[in-house]
Amino acid sequence: DVKVTQSSRYLVKRTGEKVFLECVQDMDHENMFWYRQDPGLGLRLIYFSYDVKMKEKGDIPEGYSVSREKKERFSLILESASTNQTSMYLCASSPRKRSISLHFGNGTRLTVT
Amino acid sequence: QKEVEQDPGPLSVPEGAIVSLNCTYSNSAFQYFMWYRQYSRKGPELLMYTYSSGNKEDGRFTAQVDKSSKYISLFIRDSQPSDSATYLCAMSGKDSSYKLIFGSGTRLLVRP
């Protein structure tokens, strides 16, 4: 079974802090994704990566950056956290040839105060 | 207008009922149609997917796609309390299959 592990279940940060959300997958998947999930808005893609050191912007990249130095690890960075970034963040991975089959972590609930 | 619309529910049914979950979409380029299930405090998991039009059955679950109406459905037969979850539809184009567009999810409660 694919396992996607997100480092924290809950995080509380202050406005202006730099925040790191970490994600690790153990199935050698090429693709990795960061989504945020908000009530009524569903899942929205922030960034994705299809290879080490490669990244592509999703639909809502503003205020975020990512890092993928190793194949199994994909980090989401909030450069200066703001209250409108309070959300559930979900990391996912998928194999290159079956990219629609996303395997999600259990999410990090981030609260910015 | 959102690209994918989904009624948020909640939808409450008695055990054993047939459940119908639906999504509409506006982008005619969508070719992959997926249903993800999300239990409380968990990440979504892929339940079924269909390429282009038609039906697909897997046990108690049937996915239908009507591209002419831009409408997709998930039917659950003999629903069980363990089916209680949020169901998210998702879609993508053939040339950008990695970029899924998700509906907002329908919360389903199956009462014992």
Side-chain angles (χ1 to χ4, degrees), chain A residues 63-111:
Chain A
Y64 303 95
S65 62
V66 290
S67 172
R68 194 168 180 199
E69 296 296 318
K70 293 185 178 181
K71 190 175 185 179
E72 68 270 19
R73 186 179 296 270
F74 193 34
S75 303
L76 180 69
I77 303 153
L78 286 66
E79 297 290 342
S80 177
S82 64
T83 54
N84 64 11
Q85 291 178 312
T86 291
S87 186
M88 172 66 81
Y89 290 88
L90 289 162
C91 175
S93 71
S94 70
R96 177 167 293 143
K97 292 190 175 179
R98 192 175 157 82
S99 54
I100 62 169
S101 179
L102 298 181
H103 297 262
F104 283 89
N106 287 331
T108 296
R109 168 72 65 184
L110 173 67
T111 303

Short mmCIF file of all heavy atoms in Angstrom, two decimals, chain A residues 63-111:
data_model
loop_
_atom_site.label_atom_id
_atom_site.label_comp_id
_atom_site.label_asym_id
_atom_site.label_seq_id
_atom_site.Cartn_x
_atom_site.Cartn_y
_atom_site.Cartn_z
N GLY A 63 1.60 33.17 -2.76
CA GLY A 63 1.89 33.09 -1.33
C GLY A 63 2.53 31.79 -0.90
O GLY A 63 2.85 31.61 0.28
N TYR A 64 2.76 30.89 -1.87
CA TYR A 64 3.35 29.58 -1.58
C TYR A 64 4.57 29.34 -2.47
O TYR A 64 4.68 29.90 -3.55
CB TYR A 64 2.34 28.45 -1.86
CG TYR A 64 1.04 28.54 -1.11
CD1 TYR A 64 -0.08 29.13 -1.70
CD2 TYR A 64 0.91 28.01 0.17
CE1 TYR A 64 -1.28 29.21 -1.04
CE2 TYR A 64 -0.30 28.08 0.84
CZ TYR A 64 -1.39 28.68 0.23
OH TYR A 64 -2.60 28.75 0.90
N SER A 65 5.46 28.50 -2.00
CA SER A 65 6.52 27.96 -2.84
C SER A 65 6.71 26.50 -2.44
O SER A 65 6.12 26.04 -1.45
CB SER A 65 7.82 28.75 -2.68
OG SER A 65 8.29 28.66 -1.35
N VAL A 66 7.47 25.77 -3.24
CA VAL A 66 7.68 24.35 -2.96
C VAL A 66 9.15 24.00 -3.18
O VAL A 66 9.90 24.72 -3.83
CB VAL A 66 6.79 23.44 -3.86
CG1 VAL A 66 5.33 23.55 -3.49
CG2 VAL A 66 7.03 23.76 -5.34
N SER A 67 9.48 22.82 -2.65
CA SER A 67 10.84 22.32 -2.82
C SER A 67 10.77 20.81 -2.97
O SER A 67 10.08 20.13 -2.19
CB SER A 67 11.69 22.68 -1.60
OG SER A 67 12.94 22.04 -1.66
N ARG A 68 11.49 20.30 -3.97
CA ARG A 68 11.58 18.85 -4.13
C ARG A 68 13.03 18.51 -4.44
O ARG A 68 13.45 18.43 -5.59
CB ARG A 68 10.65 18.34 -5.22
CG ARG A 68 10.50 16.82 -5.15
CD ARG A 68 9.39 16.32 -6.00
NE ARG A 68 9.27 14.88 -5.93
CZ ARG A 68 8.63 14.17 -6.84
NH1 ARG A 68 8.06 14.76 -7.87
NH2 ARG A 68 8.55 12.86 -6.71
N GLU A 69 13.78 18.25 -3.40
CA GLU A 69 15.20 17.92 -3.51
C GLU A 69 15.41 16.42 -3.67
O GLU A 69 16.43 15.98 -4.22
CB GLU A 69 15.96 18.43 -2.30
CG GLU A 69 15.95 19.96 -2.18
CD GLU A 69 16.66 20.62 -3.34
OE1 GLU A 69 17.74 20.13 -3.74
OE2 GLU A 69 16.14 21.63 -3.87
N LYS A 70 14.48 15.63 -3.15
CA LYS A 70 14.54 14.17 -3.28
C LYS A 70 13.21 13.67 -3.81
O LYS A 70 12.16 14.29 -3.59
CB LYS A 70 14.84 13.53 -1.93
CG LYS A 70 16.22 13.83 -1.39
CD LYS A 70 16.47 13.06 -0.10
CE LYS A 70 17.88 13.33 0.41
NZ LYS A 70 18.16 12.59 1.65
N LYS A 71 13.23 12.55 -4.48
CA LYS A 71 12.02 12.04 -5.14
C LYS A 71 10.90 11.79 -4.15
O LYS A 71 9.73 12.01 -4.46
CB LYS A 71 12.36 10.74 -5.88
CG LYS A 71 11.26 10.25 -6.80
CD LYS A 71 11.72 9.03 -7.58
CE LYS A 71 10.67 8.61 -8.60
NZ LYS A 71 11.12 7.43 -9.37
N GLU A 72 11.22 11.35 -2.97
CA GLU A 72 10.18 10.95 -2.02
C GLU A 72 9.64 12.10 -1.18
O GLU A 72 8.67 11.92 -0.47
CB GLU A 72 10.71 9.86 -1.09
CG GLU A 72 11.80 10.31 -0.12
CD GLU A 72 13.20 10.17 -0.70
OE1 GLU A 72 13.34 10.07 -1.94
OE2 GLU A 72 14.16 10.16 0.12
N ARG A 73 10.24 13.27 -1.27
CA ARG A 73 9.88 14.36 -0.36
C ARG A 73 9.48 15.61 -1.13
O ARG A 73 10.18 16.04 -2.04
CB ARG A 73 11.06 14.65 0.55
CG ARG A 73 10.77 15.66 1.65
CD ARG A 73 12.03 15.85 2.52
NE ARG A 73 12.39 14.62 3.21
CZ ARG A 73 11.95 14.28 4.41
NH1 ARG A 73 11.13 15.09 5.06
NH2 ARG A 73 12.34 13.15 4.98
N PHE A 74 8.36 16.20 -0.70
CA PHE A 74 7.85 17.41 -1.35
C PHE A 74 7.39 18.36 -0.26
O PHE A 74 6.52 18.01 0.54
CB PHE A 74 6.69 17.04 -2.27
CG PHE A 74 6.26 18.10 -3.24
CD1 PHE A 74 7.16 18.98 -3.81
CD2 PHE A 74 4.92 18.21 -3.62
CE1 PHE A 74 6.76 19.93 -4.73
CE2 PHE A 74 4.50 19.16 -4.55
CZ PHE A 74 5.42 20.02 -5.10
N SER A 75 8.01 19.53 -0.22
CA SER A 75 7.73 20.48 0.86
C SER A 75 6.95 21.68 0.33
O SER A 75 7.23 22.17 -0.77
CB SER A 75 9.04 20.97 1.48
OG SER A 75 9.80 19.88 1.95
N LEU A 76 6.00 22.11 1.11
CA LEU A 76 5.25 23.33 0.81
C LEU A 76 5.69 24.40 1.79
O LEU A 76 5.76 24.16 2.99
CB LEU A 76 3.74 23.08 0.95
CG LEU A 76 2.83 24.27 0.66
CD1 LEU A 76 2.86 24.63 -0.83
CD2 LEU A 76 1.39 23.97 1.11
N ILE A 77 5.98 25.58 1.27
CA ILE A 77 6.50 26.67 2.09
C ILE A 77 5.56 27.87 1.98
O ILE A 77 5.22 28.30 0.86
CB ILE A 77 7.92 27.06 1.63
CG1 ILE A 77 8.83 25.84 1.68
CG2 ILE A 77 8.48 28.19 2.51
CD1 ILE A 77 9.98 25.89 0.72
N LEU A 78 5.14 28.36 3.11
CA LEU A 78 4.41 29.62 3.17
C LEU A 78 5.42 30.68 3.61
O LEU A 78 5.89 30.67 4.74
CB LEU A 78 3.25 29.54 4.17
CG LEU A 78 2.02 28.73 3.78
CD1 LEU A 78 2.32 27.25 3.65
CD2 LEU A 78 0.89 28.97 4.77
N GLU A 79 5.79 31.55 2.69
CA GLU A 79 6.88 32.49 2.94
C GLU A 79 6.56 33.45 4.09
O GLU A 79 7.40 33.77 4.90
CB GLU A 79 7.18 33.27 1.67
CG GLU A 79 7.66 32.41 0.51
CD GLU A 79 9.07 31.86 0.74
OE1 GLU A 79 9.80 32.39 1.61
OE2 GLU A 79 9.45 30.88 0.05
N SER A 80 5.33 33.91 4.14
CA SER A 80 4.89 34.82 5.20
C SER A 80 3.41 34.53 5.44
O SER A 80 2.55 35.03 4.72
CB SER A 80 5.11 36.27 4.78
OG SER A 80 4.62 37.16 5.77
N ALA A 81 3.15 33.69 6.42
CA ALA A 81 1.78 33.18 6.61
C ALA A 81 0.78 34.31 6.84
O ALA A 81 1.07 35.29 7.55
CB ALA A 81 1.76 32.19 7.77
N SER A 82 -0.39 34.13 6.26
CA SER A 82 -1.48 35.08 6.47
C SER A 82 -2.73 34.33 6.89
O SER A 82 -2.84 33.11 6.67
CB SER A 82 -1.74 35.89 5.19
OG SER A 82 -2.19 35.03 4.17
N THR A 83 -3.67 35.04 7.48
CA THR A 83 -4.86 34.38 8.02
C THR A 83 -5.67 33.69 6.92
O THR A 83 -6.33 32.67 7.18
CB THR A 83 -5.75 35.38 8.77
OG1 THR A 83 -6.05 36.49 7.92
CG2 THR A 83 -5.05 35.90 10.04
N ASN A 84 -5.62 34.21 5.70
CA ASN A 84 -6.38 33.56 4.62
C ASN A 84 -5.73 32.27 4.13
O ASN A 84 -6.24 31.61 3.22
CB ASN A 84 -6.65 34.52 3.46
CG ASN A 84 -5.40 34.99 2.77
OD1 ASN A 84 -4.31 34.46 3.01
ND2 ASN A 84 -5.52 35.98 1.91
N GLN A 85 -4.60 31.90 4.73
CA GLN A 85 -3.99 30.61 4.43
C GLN A 85 -4.35 29.56 5.47
O GLN A 85 -3.86 28.43 5.42
CB GLN A 85 -2.47 30.76 4.31
CG GLN A 85 -2.08 31.56 3.08
CD GLN A 85 -0.59 31.77 2.95
OE1 GLN A 85 0.08 32.17 3.93
NE2 GLN A 85 -0.04 31.53 1.77
N THR A 86 -5.22 29.92 6.40
CA THR A 86 -5.77 28.93 7.31
C THR A 86 -6.61 27.94 6.50
O THR A 86 -7.54 28.34 5.80
CB THR A 86 -6.66 29.61 8.37
OG1 THR A 86 -5.82 30.38 9.24
CG2 THR A 86 -7.43 28.58 9.20
N SER A 87 -6.25 26.65 6.58
CA SER A 87 -6.89 25.67 5.71
C SER A 87 -6.41 24.27 6.07
O SER A 87 -5.51 24.09 6.88
CB SER A 87 -6.55 25.97 4.25
OG SER A 87 -7.26 25.13 3.36
N MET A 88 -7.01 23.27 5.40
CA MET A 88 -6.51 21.91 5.43
C MET A 88 -5.62 21.73 4.20
O MET A 88 -6.05 22.00 3.07
CB MET A 88 -7.65 20.90 5.39
CG MET A 88 -7.21 19.45 5.23
SD MET A 88 -6.30 18.85 6.65
CE MET A 88 -7.66 18.44 7.74
N TYR A 89 -4.39 21.29 4.42
CA TYR A 89 -3.44 21.07 3.32
C TYR A 89 -3.24 19.58 3.11
O TYR A 89 -2.94 18.84 4.05
CB TYR A 89 -2.12 21.77 3.61
CG TYR A 89 -2.25 23.27 3.53
CD1 TYR A 89 -2.62 24.02 4.64
CD2 TYR A 89 -2.04 23.93 2.33
CE1 TYR A 89 -2.78 25.40 4.56
CE2 TYR A 89 -2.19 25.32 2.23
CZ TYR A 89 -2.57 26.03 3.35
OH TYR A 89 -2.73 27.39 3.26
N LEU A 90 -3.42 19.16 1.88
CA LEU A 90 -3.30 17.75 1.53
C LEU A 90 -2.18 17.56 0.51
O LEU A 90 -2.14 18.23 -0.52
CB LEU A 90 -4.62 17.24 0.93
CG LEU A 90 -5.78 17.10 1.91
CD1 LEU A 90 -7.09 17.03 1.16
CD2 LEU A 90 -5.61 15.87 2.77
N CYS A 91 -1.32 16.61 0.82
CA CYS A 91 -0.27 16.21 -0.10
C CYS A 91 -0.71 14.94 -0.80
O CYS A 91 -1.44 14.11 -0.21
CB CYS A 91 1.02 15.97 0.67
SG CYS A 91 2.38 15.32 -0.33
N ALA A 92 -0.31 14.75 -2.05
CA ALA A 92 -0.66 13.55 -2.79
C ALA A 92 0.49 13.16 -3.71
O ALA A 92 1.33 14.00 -4.07
CB ALA A 92 -1.95 13.76 -3.60
N SER A 93 0.51 11.89 -4.08
CA SER A 93 1.48 11.43 -5.07
C SER A 93 0.79 10.51 -6.06
O SER A 93 -0.29 9.98 -5.78
CB SER A 93 2.64 10.70 -4.39
OG SER A 93 2.22 9.44 -3.90
N SER A 94 1.39 10.34 -7.22
CA SER A 94 0.86 9.42 -8.22
C SER A 94 1.99 8.98 -9.13
O SER A 94 2.97 9.72 -9.32
CB SER A 94 -0.26 10.07 -9.04
OG SER A 94 0.24 11.07 -9.90
N PRO A 95 1.85 7.79 -9.72
CA PRO A 95 2.87 7.36 -10.69
C PRO A 95 2.69 8.13 -11.99
O PRO A 95 1.59 8.57 -12.33
CB PRO A 95 2.56 5.86 -10.86
CG PRO A 95 1.14 5.71 -10.47
CD PRO A 95 0.84 6.76 -9.48
N ARG A 96 3.77 8.27 -12.75
CA ARG A 96 3.72 9.07 -13.97
C ARG A 96 2.69 8.53 -14.96
O ARG A 96 1.95 9.29 -15.57
CB ARG A 96 5.09 9.09 -14.64
CG ARG A 96 5.10 9.84 -15.96
CD ARG A 96 6.52 10.12 -16.42
NE ARG A 96 7.17 11.05 -15.53
CZ ARG A 96 8.45 10.99 -15.18
NH1 ARG A 96 9.21 10.01 -15.62
NH2 ARG A 96 8.97 11.89 -14.38
N LYS A 97 2.62 7.21 -15.09
CA LYS A 97 1.75 6.63 -16.11
C LYS A 97 0.32 6.39 -15.63
O LYS A 97 -0.50 5.85 -16.35
CB LYS A 97 2.35 5.33 -16.63
CG LYS A 97 3.62 5.57 -17.43
CD LYS A 97 4.10 4.33 -18.14
CE LYS A 97 5.30 4.68 -19.01
NZ LYS A 97 5.83 3.49 -19.72
N ARG A 98 0.03 6.79 -14.40
CA ARG A 98 -1.35 6.66 -13.91
C ARG A 98 -1.61 7.89 -13.04
O ARG A 98 -1.91 7.81 -11.86
CB ARG A 98 -1.50 5.37 -13.13
CG ARG A 98 -2.92 4.98 -12.82
CD ARG A 98 -2.97 3.62 -12.14
NE ARG A 98 -4.17 3.42 -11.37
CZ ARG A 98 -5.33 3.06 -11.87
NH1 ARG A 98 -5.48 2.86 -13.15
NH2 ARG A 98 -6.38 2.89 -11.08
N SER A 99 -1.46 9.03 -13.69
CA SER A 99 -1.42 10.27 -12.92
C SER A 99 -2.74 10.64 -12.28
O SER A 99 -2.78 11.46 -11.38
CB SER A 99 -0.93 11.40 -13.82
OG SER A 99 -1.73 11.47 -14.98
N ILE A 100 -3.86 10.05 -12.75
CA ILE A 100 -5.15 10.39 -12.15
C ILE A 100 -5.36 9.67 -10.82
O ILE A 100 -6.25 10.01 -10.06
CB ILE A 100 -6.32 10.06 -13.09
CG1 ILE A 100 -6.37 8.55 -13.37
CG2 ILE A 100 -6.22 10.86 -14.37
CD1 ILE A 100 -7.64 8.12 -14.05
N SER A 101 -4.55 8.66 -10.55
CA SER A 101 -4.72 7.88 -9.33
C SER A 101 -3.89 8.49 -8.22
O SER A 101 -2.76 8.07 -7.95
CB SER A 101 -4.32 6.42 -9.57
OG SER A 101 -4.46 5.68 -8.39
N LEU A 102 -4.45 9.51 -7.60
CA LEU A 102 -3.74 10.19 -6.53
C LEU A 102 -3.85 9.42 -5.22
O LEU A 102 -4.92 8.92 -4.87
CB LEU A 102 -4.32 11.60 -6.33
CG LEU A 102 -4.22 12.57 -7.50
CD1 LEU A 102 -4.81 13.92 -7.11
CD2 LEU A 102 -2.79 12.73 -7.95
N HIS A 103 -2.74 9.37 -4.51
CA HIS A 103 -2.71 8.80 -3.16
C HIS A 103 -2.45 9.96 -2.20
O HIS A 103 -1.40 10.60 -2.30
CB HIS A 103 -1.62 7.75 -3.05
CG HIS A 103 -1.85 6.59 -3.95
ND1 HIS A 103 -2.41 5.41 -3.54
CD2 HIS A 103 -1.60 6.42 -5.28
CE1 HIS A 103 -2.49 4.57 -4.55
NE2 HIS A 103 -2.01 5.17 -5.62
N PHE A 104 -3.39 10.20 -1.31
CA PHE A 104 -3.33 11.36 -0.44
C PHE A 104 -2.80 11.00 0.94
O PHE A 104 -3.03 9.90 1.46
CB PHE A 104 -4.73 11.97 -0.26
CG PHE A 104 -5.20 12.77 -1.43
CD1 PHE A 104 -5.89 12.17 -2.47
CD2 PHE A 104 -4.97 14.14 -1.49
CE1 PHE A 104 -6.35 12.92 -3.56
CE2 PHE A 104 -5.42 14.90 -2.56
CZ PHE A 104 -6.11 14.29 -3.60
N GLY A 105 -2.15 11.98 1.56
CA GLY A 105 -1.89 11.91 2.98
C GLY A 105 -3.15 12.30 3.74
O GLY A 105 -4.18 12.63 3.14
N ASN A 106 -3.08 12.27 5.06
CA ASN A 106 -4.25 12.57 5.88
C ASN A 106 -4.41 14.05 6.20
O ASN A 106 -5.33 14.43 6.92
CB ASN A 106 -4.22 11.75 7.16
CG ASN A 106 -4.53 10.29 6.89
OD1 ASN A 106 -5.25 9.95 5.96
ND2 ASN A 106 -3.95 9.41 7.70
N GLY A 107 -3.53 14.86 5.69
CA GLY A 107 -3.74 16.30 5.78
C GLY A 107 -3.07 16.95 6.98
O GLY A 107 -2.82 16.31 8.01
N THR A 108 -2.80 18.23 6.83
CA THR A 108 -2.32 19.08 7.92
C THR A 108 -3.30 20.24 8.05
O THR A 108 -3.52 20.99 7.08
CB THR A 108 -0.92 19.64 7.63
OG1 THR A 108 0.02 18.57 7.57
CG2 THR A 108 -0.51 20.64 8.71
N ARG A 109 -3.89 20.35 9.22
CA ARG A 109 -4.80 21.48 9.49
C ARG A 109 -3.96 22.63 10.01
O ARG A 109 -3.43 22.58 11.11
CB ARG A 109 -5.85 21.07 10.52
CG ARG A 109 -6.65 22.23 11.09
CD ARG A 109 -7.62 22.81 10.11
NE ARG A 109 -8.66 21.84 9.73
CZ ARG A 109 -9.59 22.09 8.80
NH1 ARG A 109 -9.60 23.25 8.18
NH2 ARG A 109 -10.49 21.19 8.52
N LEU A 110 -3.81 23.67 9.18
CA LEU A 110 -3.01 24.84 9.55
C LEU A 110 -3.93 25.98 9.95
O LEU A 110 -4.86 26.33 9.23
CB LEU A 110 -2.15 25.28 8.37
CG LEU A 110 -1.38 26.59 8.56
CD1 LEU A 110 -0.32 26.45 9.64
CD2 LEU A 110 -0.75 27.05 7.25
N THR A 111 -3.66 26.53 11.11
CA THR A 111 -4.36 27.73 11.57
C THR A 111 -3.35 28.85 11.71
O THR A 111 -2.33 28.69 12.37
CB THR A 111 -5.05 27.49 12.92
OG1 THR A 111 -5.96 26.40 12.80
CG2 THR A 111 -5.81 28.73 13.38
#
